[in-house]
């Protein structure tokens, strides 16, 4: 701690900070541009000037850039000093000299850091009357729009894109007054975190293109605290709604999870919520082919009648639905008839991972904590594709060596340029074992491209090298042994080693290998971590419900042991071969589907009930670190589209259960179903605490979902009826569907729908909500962790697979996760479809030669279950004997399957 | 008592006389609707959306009028034309809520929304007071005859490339090293 004097008053601050951080943490409004809590200081923009005095006798003082001066004990500064104020005002005036006059048509307007800072310094009239510099724009892909005229050359974009996220295709070009930020030529921004440029850029150079088509100012959006449903990381998001559509996803600061950044799938993958073909009313697909849309009561009656007639009803849950919905389904059909809806091979992996989280001896770090590990081994995961935001944290962990080196020389960590220059290419060790190239290879020490079984063997060998009591790998070759020993030594030498693995390759051997390494490290007393990646938003949570896999449910139906099925938010065709699913569904007399998408199962159902997506419903998810987090309804769909009958899955199921028992449908609230779920499952007892209950009030007020400037309330639905209805009431949450309620920052709260503070309209307003800039939310970070390790370390597992050998004329399938297009819901969003790379079959150079196939030739891949033809991509990193198939294409292709490849006969083209 | 009776009666009679004399004074009221009312040019009445001197829609759907409106009776949605201009794909004013304060006109950065001296908007049904864009859009520039936002905004639209506006330099060539 250090004591500094600001404008004559003394304050306690963290001495490791710079003056700007210290001032912002203290709550002063000091303007800045180039500094960012996650990117550090470079002193480029000269905006944060303050007066610094040597001692009490110094009346003259000197102007310094607050971001470049340490908050040393005894510092005396003045923010309000006349000279400092004038200096800051003139810096803004210079920055605005070339700034275009296009705020009305700028997508940043209203949440623009440059606007905020201009107002803060008091600059209001342009005195410069000469010609303005202009720039040409570039096409940067479906996610990001570019308007270079607005640039103030703060360099934040390239510092984030290149130095933080590891992108290579965005740079600063030109010299002196002509500096240009863009690509060397037009094209799609390749980095998976490009969306953060829209928040990192303090002005409107990079804006959200997916939002632009139906743009709405930030003050007109209705927000709710939500959790991203697009992978298992559980990043916190603030979706913004207007006129019944989600318009934009903003990052919601969480001090332990995503902090300032999201991946592009999370930010731009929301389009499925707005699809025109979404089911919005219950549908009855009778025997007469014709679809009848129903009202709620009719739908419940028909559903209840059908279920009442059934001998036995099977319930199929979903890892993309909330815990509450899954639990209500389980209540409806009974524990003995409930399936998680996860395919067996995946569920086995999930169960193993849950056990390891408890008894491998090492805790699961949070994403923020991942960044403080100093040696990382990734077994069988391409993190950038399967859990992108975690990959970004791993990158920071690897780059954090710079800060260690700087610390040893007394350079503060925030001094970004000095730290980078000092460290050059010095990095913490990262080892990645994966069948093909991964997104983290550029910062990895060693990339081991191996078949899944060999990755597992390597993992077991590492465990053995760390602790001889761990089972040894028989018949291991010398080079693998040497590699394993090198990895083991590196992990042991580290202060905090981290092992990351997961279910992407659906190999229990890999997961157990990582478990053995964790146990070995724990036995040797290392304070490390074990991170296990799951596939979907609620995979961890649904596994904790502890039920049978999807295959069991289908078999019960197929063999006639049950004749009705209720499927909850789950497109079964994405999980198991279509033939098997179809057989089961045709054996069932009644199929009831709840979903928010028109999936192939929905079309197949007798009764379809329109469930809420994350935007229209509330619920709880458990992320890969075992953190239960609540997501809240963003808007009430009936307000703008009165004909819709969308309800949360749990609400439908509760009502269906009541109808089935011929009881009146009770008024059920989120808190009640959450409590029920927690009571039914001891492992989930903590979820009640995941967020405040509906009766939380701040100064007697509920919390506002809408900013206080929300406009058009008396006109936006006036074409339907000039008499405005009462705003929708929300009995489930502490939030209101209006601007009435608390929206400020000075009373700490955990769930913040949107960040706004007086004078701070941009995402930089989050600094007002944290205990220190880049720290934790003052009201506590949302969520509770459910999976903490127990004291006893489990026994080593000896399930070492034999080494991989490629058969003659036979390949092993490896399903490769894809960030864009590899996930069920986000791949229904237009921008994600546009961004997804063309699907290709990956094959090694040697194998391609053996097949006499060339890049782009159509190949047929055949397994015992399916046949698929795809163009070939010669993958120089893939070991021979493996064939890589992109995820999300064909559920019948599973990692580990044997496959036969052949060149497609003339005339057979790939399917569209 | 007698004097007060006298003076009271006189006062009554005088008043009656004065009132009677008013019948011969000039009228202050107007025989509306038979006679037209004079309204000063700055009178704030019915709101219109104007066009720029080239005849294009002036409104760029920036939403500032909507946020300035104290009764929140303006709602609009942004659209984008093929030439790159922003325009309101829908624009709705609920005149049954409007208080004709003129804050929208004050906030408008493109002189698009203007209040006119027309107040004759009465309807029998309140629903008919909801004006959509086609009811609001007029064909002229209104009070501001010259302003043309896209000429000064710096944005490139079809027919006006970067650098072609007044006070705009030609786009920077990033490959040159000359100062």
């Amino acid at each position: 701690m250090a004591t500094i004097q600001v404008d004559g008053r003394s304050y306690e601050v963290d001495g490791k900070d710079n003056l700007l951080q210290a001032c912002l943490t203290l709550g002063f409004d000091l303007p800045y541009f180039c500094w960012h809590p996650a990117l550090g200081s470079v002193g480029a923009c000269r905006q944060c000037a303050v007066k610094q005095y040597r001692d009490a006798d110094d009346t003259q003082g000197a102007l310094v850039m607050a971001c470049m001066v340490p908050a040393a004990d005894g510092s005396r500064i003045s923010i309000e000093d006349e000279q400092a104020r004038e200096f800051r005002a003139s810096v803004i005036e210079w920055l605005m000299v070339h700034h275009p006059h296009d705020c009305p048509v700028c997508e940043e307007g209203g949440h623009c850091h440059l606007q905020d800072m201009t107002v803060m310094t008091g600059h209001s009239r342009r005195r410069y009357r000469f010609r303005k510099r202009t720039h040409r724009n570039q096409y940067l892909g479906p996610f990001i729009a570019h308007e270079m005229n607005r640039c103030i050359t703060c360099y934040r974009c390239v510092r984030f894109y290149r130095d933080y996220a590891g992108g290579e295709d965005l740079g600063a070009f030109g010299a002196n007054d002509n500096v240009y930020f863009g690509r060397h030529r037009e094209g799609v921004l390749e980095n998976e975190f490009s969306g953060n440029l829209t928040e990192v850029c303090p002005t409107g150079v990079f804006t959200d293109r997916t939002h632009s088509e139906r743009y709405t100012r930030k003050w007109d959006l209705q927000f709710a605290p939500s959790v991203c449903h697009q992978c298992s990381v559980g990043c916190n998001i603030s979706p913004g709604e207007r006129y019944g559509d989600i318009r934009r996803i903003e990052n919601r600061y969480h001090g332990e999870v995503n902090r300032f950044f999201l991946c592009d799938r999370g930010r731009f993958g929301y389009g499925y919520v707005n699809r025109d073909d979404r089911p919005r009313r219950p549908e009855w697909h009778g025997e007469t082919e014709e679809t009848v849309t129903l009202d709620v009561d009719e739908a419940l009656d028909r559903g209840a009648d059908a279920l009442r007639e059934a001998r036995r009803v099977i319930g199929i849950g979903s890892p993309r639905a909330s815990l509450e919905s899954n639990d209500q389904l389980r209540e409806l059909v009974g524990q003995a008839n409930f399936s998680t809806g996860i395919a067996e091979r995946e569920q086995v992996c999930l169960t193993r991972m849950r056990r390891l989280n408890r008894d491998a001896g090492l805790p699961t770090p949070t994403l923020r904590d991942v960044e403080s590990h100093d040696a990382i081994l990734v077994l069988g995961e391409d993190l950038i594709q399967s859990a992108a935001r975690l990959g970004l944290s791993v990158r920071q962990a690897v780059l954090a060596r710079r800060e260690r080196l700087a610390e040893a020389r007394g350079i503060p960590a925030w001094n970004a340029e000095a730290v980078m220059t000092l460290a050059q290419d010095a990095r913490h060790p990262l080892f990645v074992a994966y069948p093909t190239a991964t997104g983290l290879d550029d910062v990895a020490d060693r990339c081991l491209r191996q078949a899944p079984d060999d990755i597992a063997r390597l993992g077991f060998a590492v465990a053995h090298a760390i602790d001889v009591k761990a089972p040894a790998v028989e018949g291991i070759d010398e080079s693998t042994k040497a590699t394993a020993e090198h990895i083991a030594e590196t992990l042991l030498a580290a202060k905090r080693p981290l092992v990351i693995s997961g279910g992407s390759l659906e190999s229990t051997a890999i997961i157990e290998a990582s478990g053995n390494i964790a146990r070995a490290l724990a036995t040797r007393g290392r304070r490390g971590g074990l991170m296990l990646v799951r596939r979907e938003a609620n995979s961890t949570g649904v596994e904790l419900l502890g039920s049978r896999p999807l295959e069991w449910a289908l078999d019960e139906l197929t063999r006639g042991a049950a004749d009705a099925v209720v499927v909850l938010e789950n497109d079964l065709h994405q999980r198991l071969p279509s033939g098997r699913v179809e057989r089961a569904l045709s054996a069932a007399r009644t199929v009831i589907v709840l979903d928010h998408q028109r999936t192939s199962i929905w079309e197949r159902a007798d009764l379809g009930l329109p469930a809420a997506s994350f935007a229209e419903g509330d619920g709880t998810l458990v992320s890969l670190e075992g953190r239960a987090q609540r997501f809240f309804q963003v808007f009430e769909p009936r307000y703008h589209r009165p004909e819709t009958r969308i309800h949360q899955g749990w609400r439908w199921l509760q009502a269906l259960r009541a109808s089935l028992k011929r009881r009146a449908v009770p008024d059920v609230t989120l808190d009640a179903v959450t409590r029920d779920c927690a009571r039914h499952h001891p492992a989930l007892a903590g979820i009640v605490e995941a967020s405040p209950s509906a009766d939380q009030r701040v100064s007697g007020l509920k919390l506002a979902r809408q900013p206080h400037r929300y406009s058009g309330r008396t006109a936006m639905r006036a074409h339907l009826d000039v008499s405005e209805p009462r705003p929708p009431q929300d009995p489930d949450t502490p939030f209101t569907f209006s601007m009435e309620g608390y929206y400020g920052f000075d009373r700490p709260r955990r769930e913040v729908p949107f960040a706004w503070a007086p004078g701070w309209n941009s995402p930089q307003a989050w600094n007002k909500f944290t205990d220190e800039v880049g720290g934790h939310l003052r009201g506590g970070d949302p969520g509770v962790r459910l999976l903490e390790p127990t004291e006893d370390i489990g026994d080593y597992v000896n399930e070492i697979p034999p080494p991989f050998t490629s058969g003659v004329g036979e390949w092993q399938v490896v399903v490769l996760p894809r960030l864009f297009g590899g996930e069920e819901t986000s791949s229904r969003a237009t921008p994600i479809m546009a961004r997804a790379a063309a699907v290709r079959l990956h094959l090694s150079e040697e194998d391609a030669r053996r097949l006499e196939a060339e890049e782009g030739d159509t190949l047929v891949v055949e397994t015992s279950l399916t046949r698929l033809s795809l163009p070939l991509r010669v993958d120089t990193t893939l070991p021979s004997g493996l064939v890589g198939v992109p995820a999300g294409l064909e559920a019948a292709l599973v990692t580990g399957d044997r496959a036969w490849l052949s060149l497609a006969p003339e005339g057979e083209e790939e399917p569209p | 008592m007698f004097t007060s009776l006298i003076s009271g009666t006189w006062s009554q009679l005088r008043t009656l006389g004065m009132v009677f004399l008013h019948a011969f004074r000039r009228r202050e009221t107007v025989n509306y609707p038979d006679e037209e009312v004079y309204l000063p040019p700055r009178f704030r009445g019915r709101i219109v959306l104007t066009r720029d001197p080239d005849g294009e829609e002036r409104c760029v759907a920036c939403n500032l009028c909507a946020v300035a409106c104290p009764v929140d009776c303006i709602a609009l949605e942004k659209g984008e034309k093929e030439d790159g201009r922003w325009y309101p794909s829908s624009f709705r004013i609920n005149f049954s809520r409007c208080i004709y304060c003129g804050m929208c006109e004050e906030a408008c950065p493109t002189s698009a929304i203007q209040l006119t001296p027309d107040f004759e908007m009465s309807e029998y049904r309140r629903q008919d007071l909801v004006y959509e864009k086609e009811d609001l859009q007029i064909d002229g520039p209104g009070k501001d005859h010259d302003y043309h936002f896209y000429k000064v905004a710096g944005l490139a639209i079809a027919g006006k490339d970067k650098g072609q506006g007044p006070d705009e330099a030609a786009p920077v060539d990033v490959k040159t090293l000359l100062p």
Side-chain angles (χ1 to χ4, degrees):
Chain A
M1 292 307 267
T3 309
I4 64 168
Q5 223 179 54
V6 183
D7 289 314
R9 292 184 61 178
S10 293
Y11 300 93
E12 287 281 306
V13 298
D14 185 350
K16 280 197 219 132
D17 285 350
N18 57 49
L19 285 174
L20 176 62
Q21 281 172 306
C23 289
L24 292 173
T25 299
L26 291 171
F28 292 110
D29 287 342
L30 183 55
Y32 62 87
F33 288 110
C34 66
W35 171 83
H36 184 285
L39 305 176
S41 319
V42 286
C45 70
R46 322 310 283 170
Q47 185 59 61
C48 62
V50 293
K51 214 34 156 343
Q52 189 178 28
Y53 304 93
R54 270 198 313 277
D55 48 42
D57 300 330
D58 183 4
T59 50
Q60 194 71 30
L63 280 177
V64 295
M65 296 309 130
C67 72
M68 296 305 283
V69 179
D73 197 25
S75 304
R76 286 159 184 279
I77 58 166
S78 168
I79 298 175
E80 297 301 321
D81 179 81
E82 195 45 45
Q83 222 178 354
R85 289 177 77 97
E86 264 172 38
F87 184 90
R88 294 198 296 262
S90 59
V91 168
I92 280 274
E93 192 169 3
W94 289 328
L95 289 176
M96 297 298 281
V97 158
H98 290 301
H99 195 78
H101 181 66
D102 65 353
C103 293
V105 290
C106 174
E107 283 104 333
E108 192 82 358
H111 63 133
C112 175
H113 188 57
L114 180 61
Q115 279 179 342
D116 288 351
M117 296 300 106
T118 309
V119 173
M120 196 177 285
T121 51
H123 173 64
S124 60
R125 290 265 153 215
R126 173 190 236 100
R127 290 187 290 167
Y128 180 82
R129 289 274 171 253
F130 306 98
R131 299 208 308 175
K132 284 184 188 177
R133 180 189 59 207
T134 61
H135 283 290
R136 294 231 175 269
N137 305 330
Q138 288 181 328
Y139 170 76
L140 298 177
F143 294 158
I144 304 287
H146 192 220
E147 177 54 69
M148 251 315 283
N149 280 0
R150 298 170 186 150
C151 183
I152 55 163
T153 50
C154 69
Y155 279 74
R156 262 191 187 186
C157 53
V158 287
R159 285 168 58 218
F160 168 76
Y161 197 85
R162 302 181 76 92
D163 305 344
Y164 194 91
E168 279 164 359
D169 59 328
L170 182 82
F173 299 90
N176 59 60
D177 209 14
N178 296 343
V179 178
Y180 186 89
F181 297 93
R183 282 171 54 93
H184 73 291
R185 73 159 71 102
E186 284 201 326
V188 179
L189 280 176
E190 285 160 12
N191 194 273
E192 294 78 7
F193 303 95
S194 63
N196 296 300
L197 291 175
T198 62
E199 287 190 19
V200 164
C201 176
T203 168
V205 177
F206 300 100
T207 49
D208 184 341
R209 186 187 280 275
T210 67
H211 179 206
S212 175
E213 197 188 332
R214 301 186 64 204
Y215 176 72
T216 308
R217 300 269 174 224
K218 182 179 177 180
W219 64 64
D220 278 346
L221 291 169
Q222 175 164 261
F223 295 97
S226 191
V227 177
C228 181
H229 278 50
Q230 265 47 266
C231 83
S232 62
V233 174
C235 295
N236 285 202
I237 53 171
S238 277
E241 172 269 351
R242 180 88 176 170
Y243 298 108
D245 286 330
I246 293 293
R247 297 294 172 91
R248 174 166 80 207
I249 303 274
E250 279 186 15
N251 181 58
R252 179 161 70 97
Y253 188 86
H254 187 298
E256 283 297 343
V257 186
N258 47 306
R259 299 184 72 210
F260 297 98
F261 305 118
L262 297 176
C263 76
D264 285 359
R265 189 207 268 175
R267 190 183 291 272
F268 302 120
Y270 60 89
Y272 64 93
V273 177
N274 302 340
R275 281 179 72 101
D276 288 334
D277 67 350
R278 262 190 73 179
R280 294 198 156 87
R281 290 176 71 90
E283 281 176 19
W284 179 263
H285 308 265
E287 273 144 36
T288 54
E289 298 292 301
E290 231 167 83
T291 300
V292 189
T293 55
L294 305 172
D295 218 316
V296 173
D297 289 340
E298 291 169 274
L300 288 174
D301 288 346
R302 290 206 194 190
D305 285 346
L307 293 184
R308 216 174 282 127
E309 279 165 28
R311 277 180 292 120
R312 181 174 169 220
V313 186
I314 293 284
I316 298 179
S318 167
R320 67 170 161 89
S322 65
L323 283 176
E324 287 84 351
S325 295
N326 277 294
D327 183 56
Q328 284 303 319
L329 176 62
R330 201 193 51 84
E331 286 287 288
L332 175 74
V333 298
Q335 176 72 27
N337 303 321
F338 177 67
S339 153
T340 54
I342 303 172
E344 185 161 17
R345 48 176 205 281
E346 190 185 343
Q347 188 162 333
V348 171
C349 292
L350 289 171
T351 308
R352 301 261 185 145
M353 289 194 265
R354 190 240 310 153
R355 284 200 199 125
L356 288 177
N357 282 142
R358 290 240 169 86
D359 71 0
L362 294 185
T364 306
T366 62
L367 250 57
R368 185 197 190 108
D369 198 26
V370 164
E371 294 177 14
S372 48
H373 287 78
D374 56 353
I376 299 180
L377 168 64
V378 182
L379 281 183
E381 282 291 335
D382 180 357
L383 293 177
I384 296 296
Q385 303 297 328
S386 60
R389 184 61 187 80
L390 172 61
L392 189 62
S393 290
V394 168
R395 181 178 290 278
Q396 303 324 307
V398 173
L399 296 177
R401 173 133 173 87
R402 298 167 172 176
E403 280 137 45
R404 298 276 171 93
L405 290 173
E407 205 182 335
R409 280 181 174 69
I411 301 173
W414 46 259
N415 197 341
E417 275 306 307
V419 168
M420 250 171 45
T421 313
L422 170 76
Q424 299 293 324
D425 284 337
R427 291 189 286 255
H428 281 145
L430 167 70
F431 304 97
V432 183
Y434 192 68
T436 179
T438 76
L440 288 171
D441 287 0
D442 60 320
V443 286
D445 249 21
R446 288 282 298 275
C447 307
L448 305 142
R449 277 84 184 238
Q450 294 174 331
D453 285 348
D454 290 341
I455 294 172
R457 287 171 66 82
L458 173 77
F460 283 112
V462 172
H464 180 69
I466 294 171
D467 181 8
V468 284
K469 287 194 208 97
V473 182
E474 299 292 326
I476 192 168
D477 61 83
E478 279 308 309
S479 73
T480 314
K481 198 173 170 201
T483 312
E485 274 164 10
H486 171 61
I487 296 174
E489 272 167 35
T490 315
L491 292 180
L492 280 174
K495 279 198 192 108
R496 298 193 65 193
L498 174 65
V499 183
I500 300 177
S501 182
S504 288
L505 295 177
E506 301 196 321
S507 156
T508 49
I510 293 180
I511 294 166
E512 290 299 352
S514 65
N516 271 13
I517 301 172
R519 288 189 182 107
L521 287 169
T523 314
R524 298 283 302 264
R526 292 302 186 279
R527 205 166 63 86
L530 172 68
M531 193 93 179
L532 297 167
V533 177
R534 277 78 160 179
R535 195 155 72 92
E536 282 162 281
N538 205 10
S539 293
T540 320
V542 171
E543 197 281 328
L544 283 169
L545 291 174
S547 231
R548 275 155 294 217
L550 179 57
E551 279 90 339
W552 167 84
L554 297 184
D555 289 348
E556 293 291 288
L557 291 166
T558 315
R559 71 184 178 87
D563 54 353
V565 60
V566 183
V567 185
L568 170 70
E569 300 180 35
N570 200 339
D571 186 2
L572 309 179
H573 290 291
Q574 303 266 348
R575 299 184 190 272
L576 286 178
S578 295
R580 191 167 183 184
V581 174
E582 268 317 301
R583 268 199 303 283
L585 293 184
S586 16
R589 267 182 53 206
T590 305
V591 179
I592 297 180
V593 168
L594 288 91
D595 210 333
H596 48 80
Q597 297 299 312
R598 198 169 284 279
T599 62
S600 47
I601 300 287
W602 174 280
E603 302 288 5
R604 183 70 190 64
D606 299 308
L607 177 65
L609 300 174
S613 69
F614 73 92
E616 301 111 1
D618 323 277
T620 311
L621 301 178
V622 184
S623 74
L624 55 81
E625 55 154 311
R627 182 182 292 272
Q629 300 186 102
R630 197 103 68 234
F631 60 93
F632 294 99
Q633 185 173 3
V634 183
F635 66 101
E636 171 54 49
R638 279 178 84 157
Y639 189 68
H640 289 288
R641 299 192 181 96
E643 71 285 2
T644 54
R645 296 291 179 270
I646 293 175
H647 293 287
Q648 289 99 334
W650 46 266
R651 199 156 252 147
W652 276 119
L653 292 161
Q654 171 90 14
L656 196 57
R657 185 150 61 102
S659 308
L660 190 60
K661 292 182 178 165
R662 300 191 196 279
R663 282 204 304 248
V665 176
D667 281 339
V668 65
T669 61
L670 173 72
D671 287 338
V673 287
T674 308
R675 270 197 307 274
D676 278 354
C677 180
R679 206 180 56 237
H680 299 147
H681 309 281
L684 296 170
I687 63 169
V688 178
E689 306 299 319
S691 74
S693 62
D695 49 18
Q696 190 210 10
R697 297 289 181 274
V698 175
S699 313
L701 295 170
K702 283 191 117 185
L703 305 170
R705 277 188 174 89
Q706 299 171 354
H708 64 299
R709 292 180 185 137
Y710 194 84
S711 78
R713 284 174 310 148
T714 64
M716 56 198 291
R717 102 184 265 302
H719 60 304
L720 300 175
D721 185 3
V722 72
S723 314
E724 298 97 33
R726 185 184 188 205
Q729 302 299 298
D730 190 353
D732 295 318
T733 75
F735 305 99
T736 60
F737 289 110
S738 75
M739 67 242 275
E740 290 168 346
Y742 184 70
Y743 56 83
F745 66 94
D746 48 351
R747 305 219 165 81
R749 58 198 162 117
R750 244 158 84 187
E751 303 287 358
V752 184
F754 59 92
W756 181 87
W760 299 82
N761 298 289
S762 76
Q764 314 287 325
W766 281 108
N767 290 337
K768 294 276 183 190
F769 288 78
T770 49
D771 53 1
E772 52 176 341
V773 285
H776 300 273
L777 288 184
R778 268 184 287 129
D781 292 319
V784 282
R785 278 166 59 101
L786 303 175
L787 293 172
E788 295 300 343
T790 51
E791 284 296 306
D792 354 304
I793 304 172
D795 292 333
Y796 286 114
V797 173
N798 191 356
E799 284 177 22
I800 306 172
F804 170 72
T805 48
S806 52
V808 182
E810 193 178 284
W811 279 264
Q812 190 183 56
V813 174
V814 178
V815 178
L816 303 170
R818 286 189 295 161
L819 187 66
F820 304 118
E823 191 261 341
E824 196 184 323
T825 48
S826 67
S827 57
R828 299 172 79 89
T830 319
I832 298 284
M833 284 190 255
R835 175 68 170 80
V839 283
R840 295 284 171 101
L841 217 54
H842 291 234
L843 209 58
S844 74
E845 226 169 351
E846 194 191 323
D847 289 347
R849 212 177 311 124
R850 210 184 314 153
L851 283 168
E852 293 172 355
E854 276 173 34
E855 180 96 22
D857 286 355
T858 306
L859 281 186
V860 180
V861 55
E862 215 166 336
T863 65
S864 53
L865 286 173
T866 188
R867 186 170 185 278
L868 191 69
S869 46
L870 280 179
L872 169 71
R873 196 189 135 207
V874 178
D875 185 342
T876 50
T877 56
L878 196 74
S880 64
L882 297 181
V883 53
V885 184
L889 271 193
E890 169 63 66
L893 283 174
V894 177
T895 300
D897 276 357
R898 284 191 312 166
W900 297 273
L901 292 177
S902 55
L903 265 171
E906 280 298 311
E908 184 171 347
E909 283 304 311
E910 71 207 85
Chain B
M1 193 250 175
F2 187 68
T3 35
S4 66
L5 190 74
I6 295 282
S7 69
T9 309
W10 169 240
S11 166
Q12 291 289 319
L13 291 172
R14 182 177 164 267
T15 307
L16 283 169
M18 281 168 79
V19 171
F20 177 74
L21 281 176
H22 271 288
F24 304 100
R25 288 265 182 94
R26 203 171 70 85
R27 283 169 197 266
E28 288 296 337
T29 53
V30 178
N31 258 343
Y32 181 83
D34 294 337
E35 246 174 78
E36 218 171 279
V37 192
Y38 169 75
L39 291 174
R42 288 188 183 187
F43 183 87
R44 297 192 307 263
R46 180 170 60 89
I47 298 172
V48 293
L49 291 174
T50 61
R51 291 178 185 272
D52 66 23
D54 297 346
E56 299 282 350
E57 279 175 48
R58 254 186 186 147
C59 176
V60 297
C62 72
N63 273 289
L64 285 179
C65 52
V67 74
C69 179
V71 290
D72 283 348
C73 73
I74 305 179
L76 66 150
E77 278 194 277
K78 179 233 164 181
E80 202 167 321
K81 289 192 179 150
E82 270 178 23
D83 63 2
R85 286 165 183 262
W86 285 27
Y87 77 106
S89 62
S90 76
F91 201 111
R92 184 178 309 125
I93 299 181
N94 179 356
F95 278 111
S96 77
R97 290 281 187 193
C98 180
I99 55 167
Y100 304 94
C101 65
M103 303 255 265
C104 49
E105 180 172 9
E106 221 171 88
C108 183
T110 66
S111 287
I113 196 165
Q114 294 180 11
L115 276 77
T116 61
D118 170 21
F119 61 91
E120 295 166 313
M121 302 170 69
S122 316
E123 301 281 357
Y124 287 105
R125 288 177 49 224
R126 208 180 135 206
Q127 185 68 47
D128 295 340
L129 284 168
V130 176
Y131 280 39
E132 296 291 336
K133 187 176 159 190
E134 55 270 24
D135 309 320
L136 298 165
Q137 186 77 56
I138 64 165
D139 280 341
K143 305 171 208 171
D144 192 340
H145 299 280
D146 305 319
Y147 192 66
H148 193 307
F149 173 74
Y150 281 104
K151 282 210 169 122
V152 293
L155 216 67
I157 56 166
K160 190 246 138 202
D161 200 2
K162 286 271 174 82
Q164 289 181 353
D167 290 342
E168 272 182 46
V172 164
D173 175 9
V174 291
K175 291 184 178 145
T176 181
L177 288 173
L178 294 173

